[in-house]
Amino acid sequence: MNSKEMNKTILKISSAAIFLILISSYVGTTSNAYAVWGHGITHGPSLGHVYDYTYTDGLKIDSRTFDISKFSQSIPTQTLYVNVPSTITLKIFHTDGVQYLQHVAIYITNSNDPTVYSSGEWIAYDKGVGLTTNDPNKLFKSVTVSTSAQGHFLYLTFKITPQASMDTSNIIVKS
């Protein structure tokens, strides 16, 4: 190989290397970094705790924020007033990104068992479908939902106006 061909080969190799370095530095600076427990392993949605990562604002009812970072816990009783709009905001984290969140539901039940989902009232948000409700006892006057995303967080804001009273009940959130 003569020196002219060798210089062309070196130029091609160095150009390719520089191009790869530039692309790698761009991808590295614009991507979020989230540690997972192994290559290809994903963790489902969370309202406050994913292994070593915890956040304490997974639930907001009207102007009060609650730490719901444990699987099941009690919060102080909140009152939603008949014919007065209330807002419930869920902050949901997913390690793979919000595009992978398919379904989020709020179940209203009188059971203390977190595995029991009410056949009564529920409000759900489904990707591609939007808002659906089940209201056999006609508790809701209106329910709307809005969504926003920030990084790996999906914020679902439900605006609920009750039209009938009910006893103190439990809320179960499933995503």
Side-chain angles (χ1 to χ4, degrees), residues 1-2 8 11 15-16 18-19 47 56 60 66 69 79 92 99-101 103 107 114 119 129 140 151 157 160-161 163:
M1 172 182 298
N2 65 33
K8 281 185 180 181
L11 181 62
S15 295
I18 290 170
F19 179 75
L47 292 162
T56 59
K60 187 173 184 178
F66 300 96
S69 59
T79 302
I92 306 167
Q99 70 273 18
Y100 292 102
L101 288 166
H103 172 82
Y107 296 88
S119 60
V129 175
F140 307 129
T157 301
I160 302 166
T161 303
Q163 70 178 359

Side-chain angles (χ1 to χ4, degrees), residues 62-163:
D62 292 325
S63 61
R64 293 190 66 190
T65 301
F66 300 96
D67 178 0
I68 57 169
S69 59
K70 297 170 184 60
F71 176 74
S72 178
Q73 67 262 311
S74 295
I75 64 170
T77 300
Q78 301 299 297
T79 302
L80 306 182
Y81 296 96
V82 173
N83 293 320
V84 176
S86 289
T87 302
I88 297 175
T89 301
L90 301 172
K91 179 180 178 182
I92 306 167
F93 177 87
H94 197 293
T95 55
D96 291 338
V98 297
Q99 70 273 18
Y100 292 102
L101 288 166
Q102 300 293 317
H103 172 82
V104 178
I106 298 173
Y107 296 88
I108 300 168
T109 178
N110 289 324
S111 172
N112 287 324
D113 183 354
T115 63
V116 175
Y117 299 108
S118 172
S119 60
E121 283 69 32
W122 52 259
I123 303 165
Y125 170 80
D126 290 287
K127 182 179 177 180
V129 175
L131 179 72
T132 54
T133 61
N134 186 51
D135 189 13
N137 297 311
K138 307 294 182 217
L139 293 177
F140 307 129
K141 183 176 187 176
S142 67
V143 179
T144 61
V145 67
S146 63
T147 64
S148 65
Q150 184 178 7
H152 286 243
F153 290 100
L154 175 66
Y155 294 85
L156 286 172
T157 301
F158 296 94
K159 293 195 185 237
I160 302 166
T161 303
Q163 70 178 359

